[in-house]
Structure formats: structure tokens, C-alpha cells
Amino acid sequence: MSASHTPSPRPATGFIRVGKDLQAWIAGYRCPDCGAVALQMTLACRHCSSRKPLQEFRAAERGSIYSWTVVERSYPGIPVPFVSVIVDLDDGLSLKGTLRGADRDAVRAGMPVSLVFDDAGSAVDADGAAYIGYHFTPVAGEK
Amino acid sequence: MSDVFVVGADLIKFGRYPDRTPFQLGAEATLLALDDAGLGIRDVGAIYAASTFNAASMMAQQILMQIGQTGIPCVNVSNACASGATAFREAVIAIKSGMYDVVVAVGAEKNPSGMLASGKSEGPPPEGLFGSGTMPALFAEAGMVHSSAYGTTIEQFAKVSVKNHHHSTMNPKAMYQRETPLEEVLASEMIAWPLTKLMCSVNVDGAAAAVLCSERKARELGLGRAVRVLGSALASDPWDARNGVMMNVNPVTRLAAASAYEMAGVGPGELDLVELHDCFATAELLHYENLGLCADGEAGALIDSGATALGGRIPVNVSGGLLSKGHPIGATGVANIVEVVMQLRGEAGRRQVQGARLGLAHVLGFGVGVGAAGVHILAKV
């Protein structure tokens, strides 16, 4: 494989989408009947069981922390500590992620955060393709 | 439909059994429960066997290989930490159906050691990149929702661990018989805030079994030590906006509890004791509210008051709970029912809840983003 033909980056988790311009976004799915949102396309809405196809949308990239913990011990080989957060995005989707660039003592529920796409810890797949991942950061000016 | 009675109940001492199979552990518990009932395997019409990790090996048949291959129907159940309650409930339904006079529900497990991990995913390992999927982190996050809403403190969560370790000093079949003062719980290794190592359940091997029978059979055996099953409920997690992203232990437990209370015709205020799923110290406080032992937001005050300790208004996890008796995943749901049975018979020794007439057993199981809760209510005959 020549250097001029580097494979395109791949999503590091199932709900990241990568466009032709290599811009990434999170895909959400909304029920046209009840408005419930989810991170997965399902055969029917898991809230109201409507069978109308869910509509894909591009998730918001701002939200606030719903809950969090500071992980001090994880599976063997995983670097610690890190801050694990559950974020409610502004459009109703929720997403789990790692909060980076925050003072761990200042983390609290309700804290506004931004979704930032990254290189998933510089991971590459068997073909040498890079991954695209994401993390959260505190919104500038917020502690 | 026949009422359902538990006429035999027992468990093996929880611990590590490197030289024995889970089937041998389950077989031993089954024989203990049959002996307790004064029955033999040839009296049993069907067997319901729970194991999160070994159900697929046809564990019920493997148990019969150890104690007598009578040809009876074997049902093998895996439903995460709710496996044991699921098997017990199938046994209840079997008796209620009128098809059987005597059935056995057994749970047995040899837990993998270390932190239990979920399945492999595509792409780079998600742990740390996309938050944490460890069980302590999930239950830490569940606890922090309560903490954020009501100001619940790490000391209040830690007191659950102090209490349950104290209780298990009086339970010879618990993994541990050792006091852990508050200072020690708080000072043990921090795993995921606010959970220290002593606030996480013990990974052990174990087995527990119960013999259930119809009213006709119970009268034939004599009702002296029989315990009546008043309520039996199983729920799956209902829709929640964060399903699949965050484990929410509350709605599924509330659904099962409401159903069990309705079937039993009793309310939480009438209970004399509760064995609930304290897989982590945070979970116990959440379940005080989920099971209606106190109003929403009051769980911290309830543990502070001492009401849930032995001798208090509503003792919780007098067996030592998952935190100190131990948590052999698929066996736990049967084991906590066995504890309630022992208490209602007045045979719980030093940890006996005086005058116990009505008890509740609860378990909660979670897989990747999905869950189950089982609640059983039992009464002294």
C-alpha cells in the first residue's frame, strides 16, 4: 500500500459517522410519532412501538453532565484516573464519554460541556486506518 | 390456583471453590434444601436452575448427573444478576399451574475473578476512551444521580457497607465475618468515586436452593416450618430516555416492586425485613426508595437513623448482603430468598429479626444496556 493511499479513518464506536470531508458527527434517530430519540436504528420505536421508520439526525455537540464518576481503577492496563460522564445533549440524546481538561474536583451535575471529536487515543486498525473518537470538554469559561 | 409454599431452603457457605464445578456446588445446595424439606430428588417434578455463566451448559441436567437422573424437565435460566429470582419465579409459576406438587429452584455460580467485563466490541477498546463500562463505575454514576439530587454523602453510602459487614459477622455461611468500621471503608482503595473497594460486592462462588410445593403437599408434609410465597414479580427495564447509555436501576425495580406488593396485598410498611441487591453500596440506598422503605430523597437519612440495621425498624440485608456475604451472580437471587425463609422460620441464629412474619427479597440484573428485576414477598404461615 502506497503512502498516498492511506485508508480513511473509521468510527471508533458504532454511532459516530464520518463524512467524505472527514468531518465526524454523532448519529441520532428520532421517532416521527412520539419524538423519542435513540442512538440506534431499531425496527420499531422502543418508546411508543410505532413502526414508522426512525429519522436520522445529526446530534447536537453541546450538552450538560447528568452524572459522573472519577474512575481510579479499571480493567488491567487501562490508564487511570479518568472522569466518566453521562451527558444529556441539547437535543435530547444522551451519550457516555470521558471528560478531559476539567478539574476533577469541579465536576458536577449540570455542568455544560462540548463534544469534541478526536483520534481515539491514536488507535489504528489492522489496515493502518486511523480511528475517529470523541470526548467531552468543559465549555470555555465554565469550571 | 394453589398457593405456593417453600418447604426447604439452604445454601452452601459462599467462598472460593477452585477444585469444584458449579454443578457440584448446585448439587450440594439442592441436597441441602431437599434434606431440609425431608424430601428426595425422586419427589421432585421439575428443576429450575439459574447460572449467569453456566446456564448454557444445561446446568440443571448437570446437577441431576450428580444427585440422580430421574428424567424430570430441566429449565436452565440466565438473566444476569436476576437469574436466581427468575428461576425461583418459574418454580412458583409451575406450582401455581397445578402441573407439579414439588419443584426445585437452584442457583449456582463460579464467578470469574477480578472486575467483571462485558463483551468485546469492534474498534479500539472503549474503556477510558468513552467513559467507563466497569460495574463499579456504572453504580457510582447511579449513586451520583442521587447525590446530585439530594446531597447524599460518601459517608452515607459507606455506612451501608459498615452495616452489612457487621451483619455478616453473625452469618457463618457468609464469605466474610469481619467488622469494617466507617474509617476503614472510607480509607480502602478508591475504585470509582464514591465507591471504595469495601463498598463493592464480593466476587465469590456459591449455590443456594429452595424446594417449593403446593398447598396440598405442604399440608401433607406439615406446615410447621413452611413459608408462603405471597408475591412474585419479574420486570424488564421499561423505556427510559437514557436506556443503553446509562444503567438506571430505579424504574425496573419500582415496576417489579409495585407488581409484587399488589400480588401480595401488602405494603412496604408491613415488612419485617428486606434482602435487597446491594451489589454496590450506592445501590442499597437507591433501593430503599425503589422498594418504598422511605420516601424519595430520604435514603441517606434512613441509613443514618439505623432503621435498616438489625434491631432497627426495617432491617435490610441481615445476611450480610452481596457486600459481605458475597455475590455468586446466578445464585444470589435464590440465596436472598433462602435468607428470608430462614428469618421467617425463626432459624437465623444471632442475626434473627425478632418476630419476623413478612419479608421481601429483591435482585437486579444488568447486561449491556438492558436489565431485569425480581421481587418476592414471603410470609410466615
Side-chain angles (χ1 to χ4, degrees), chain B residues 7-169:
Chain B
V7 292
D10 213 338
L11 70 167
I12 67 166
K13 180 177 163 59
F14 286 2
R16 282 291 188 185
Y17 293 95
D19 301 328
R20 301 178 66 193
T21 68
F23 316 126
Q24 291 170 324
L25 303 183
E28 183 182 346
T30 302
L31 288 181
L32 286 169
L34 284 168
D35 290 349
D36 184 48
L39 294 170
I41 192 65
R42 296 196 174 279
D43 299 307
V44 175
I47 180 166
Y48 299 83
S51 173
T52 303
F53 303 114
N54 296 291
S57 309
M58 303 179 95
M59 187 170 79
Q61 288 91 327
Q62 300 283 359
I63 287 172
L64 291 182
M65 283 270 282
Q66 304 281 331
I67 64 173
Q69 292 178 275
T70 57
I72 56 174
C74 288
V75 180
N76 296 292
V77 175
S78 177
N79 209 11
C81 303
S83 300
T86 306
F88 186 88
R89 184 165 185 274
E90 289 304 312
V92 169
I93 292 168
I95 296 294
K96 275 202 172 292
S97 78
M99 286 185 73
Y100 304 102
D101 267 336
V102 179
V103 299
V104 163
V106 54
E109 203 77 83
K110 286 192 72 174
N111 278 15
S113 57
M115 215 177 256
L116 302 184
S118 51
K120 208 171 146 40
S121 54
E122 282 190 35
E127 180 68 16
L129 279 183
F130 305 110
S132 180
T134 69
M135 283 290 164
L138 300 187
F139 280 87
E141 288 164 349
M144 288 310 290
V145 173
H146 198 273
S147 184
S148 300
Y150 304 117
T152 324
T153 64
I154 185 172
E155 287 80 10
Q156 288 172 322
F157 291 126
K159 282 179 185 175
V160 170
S161 210
V162 175
K163 170 180 70 72
N164 293 353
H165 281 91
H166 170 64
H167 286 161
S168 81
T169 63

Side-chain angles (χ1 to χ4, degrees), chain A residues 67 69 72 74 84 88 96 98, chain B residues 127-128 131-132 141 191 193:
Chain A
S67 194
T69 183
E72 303 274 5
S74 179
S84 175
D88 290 344
K96 176 162 247 190
T98 298
Chain B
E127 180 68 16
S132 180
E141 288 164 349
I191 305 293
W193 178 271

Side-chain angles (χ1 to χ4, degrees), chain A residues 56-86:
Chain A
E56 184 172 338
F57 66 96
R58 192 170 174 141
E61 296 180 6
R62 290 282 287 265
S64 62
I65 292 175
Y66 176 69
S67 194
W68 58 277
T69 183
V70 180
V71 177
E72 303 274 5
R73 198 218 284 188
S74 179
Y75 305 128
I78 302 292
V80 289
F82 62 91
V83 181
S84 175
V85 291
I86 290 140

Side-chain angles (χ1 to χ4, degrees), chain A:
Chain A
M1 178 184 313
S2 71
S4 63
H5 197 75
T6 307
S8 296
R10 303 176 53 199
T13 78
F15 39 82
I16 296 175
R17 299 287 177 273
V18 182
K20 285 198 169 62
D21 58 358
L22 300 187
Q23 290 294 301
W25 71 93
I26 302 286
Y29 297 89
R30 182 178 283 111
C31 173
D33 274 342
C34 75
V37 294
L39 280 169
Q40 293 174 328
M41 184 66 169
T42 48
L43 284 176
C45 172
R46 63 187 173 85
H47 177 234
C48 73
S49 63
S50 165
R51 295 207 192 173
K52 283 189 194 159
L54 305 184
Q55 295 162 343
E56 184 172 338
F57 66 96
R58 192 170 174 141
E61 296 180 6
R62 290 282 287 265
S64 62
I65 292 175
Y66 176 69
S67 194
W68 58 277
T69 183
V70 180
V71 177
E72 303 274 5
R73 198 218 284 188
S74 179
Y75 305 128
I78 302 292
V80 289
F82 62 91
V83 181
S84 175
V85 291
I86 290 140
V87 171
D88 290 344
L89 297 174
D90 289 347
D91 53 19
L93 269 182
S94 295
L95 201 56
K96 176 162 247 190
T98 298
L99 179 70
R100 302 192 196 281
D103 172 1
R104 56 188 273 181
D105 295 327
V107 179
R108 57 178 169 77
M111 183 170 155
V113 293
S114 297
L115 177 68
V116 178
F117 291 97
D118 61 26
D119 66 355
S122 310
V124 292
D125 74 3
D127 299 325
Y131 281 106
I132 293 187
Y134 68 83
H135 62 272
F136 293 100
T137 59
V139 170
E142 297 279 345
K143 277 282 164 82

Side-chain angles (χ1 to χ4, degrees), chain B residues 46-318:
Chain B
I47 180 166
Y48 299 83
S51 173
T52 303
F53 303 114
N54 296 291
S57 309
M58 303 179 95
M59 187 170 79
Q61 288 91 327
Q62 300 283 359
I63 287 172
L64 291 182
M65 283 270 282
Q66 304 281 331
I67 64 173
Q69 292 178 275
T70 57
I72 56 174
C74 288
V75 180
N76 296 292
V77 175
S78 177
N79 209 11
C81 303
S83 300
T86 306
F88 186 88
R89 184 165 185 274
E90 289 304 312
V92 169
I93 292 168
I95 296 294
K96 275 202 172 292
S97 78
M99 286 185 73
Y100 304 102
D101 267 336
V102 179
V103 299
V104 163
V106 54
E109 203 77 83
K110 286 192 72 174
N111 278 15
S113 57
M115 215 177 256
L116 302 184
S118 51
K120 208 171 146 40
S121 54
E122 282 190 35
E127 180 68 16
L129 279 183
F130 305 110
S132 180
T134 69
M135 283 290 164
L138 300 187
F139 280 87
E141 288 164 349
M144 288 310 290
V145 173
H146 198 273
S147 184
S148 300
Y150 304 117
T152 324
T153 64
I154 185 172
E155 287 80 10
Q156 288 172 322
F157 291 126
K159 282 179 185 175
V160 170
S161 210
V162 175
K163 170 180 70 72
N164 293 353
H165 281 91
H166 170 64
H167 286 161
S168 81
T169 63
M170 296 173 273
N171 184 355
K173 288 191 170 174
M175 173 74 175
Y176 293 124
Q177 290 82 23
R178 192 173 76 79
E179 300 282 357
T180 57
L182 183 63
E183 305 70 42
E184 183 182 344
V185 172
L186 291 171
S188 71
E189 181 190 354
M190 181 58 70
I191 305 293
W193 178 271
L195 293 171
T196 67
K197 187 170 183 183
L198 284 173
M199 294 156 78
C200 302
S201 55
V202 195
N203 228 340
V204 299
D205 308 329
V211 181
L212 294 80
C213 73
S214 62
E215 179 153 9
R216 189 191 67 74
K217 186 71 180 180
R219 289 191 182 283
E220 182 187 312
L221 292 168
L223 289 173
R225 293 168 72 243
V227 165
R228 190 189 305 261
V229 180
L230 287 187
S232 173
L234 181 69
S236 57
D237 44 336
W239 181 86
D240 177 271
R242 298 181 192 86
N243 282 147
V245 175
M246 176 176 189
M247 182 201 57
N248 189 344
V249 302
N250 304 327
V252 65
T253 293
R254 288 176 188 229
L255 205 54
S259 173
Y261 285 132
E262 184 184 353
M263 182 175 171
V266 301
E270 297 168 66
L271 298 172
D272 297 307
L273 79 145
V274 170
E275 287 284 305
L276 61 72
H277 202 77
D278 59 327
C279 48
F280 296 90
T282 45
E284 179 162 320
L285 293 195
L286 301 179
H287 295 316
Y288 288 172
E289 296 171 15
N290 293 333
L291 297 173
L293 308 185
C294 65
D296 286 356
E298 293 179 0
L302 190 66
I303 186 77
D304 283 343
S305 76
T308 56
L310 184 61
R313 174 175 66 80
I314 175 68
V316 173
N317 290 331
V318 287

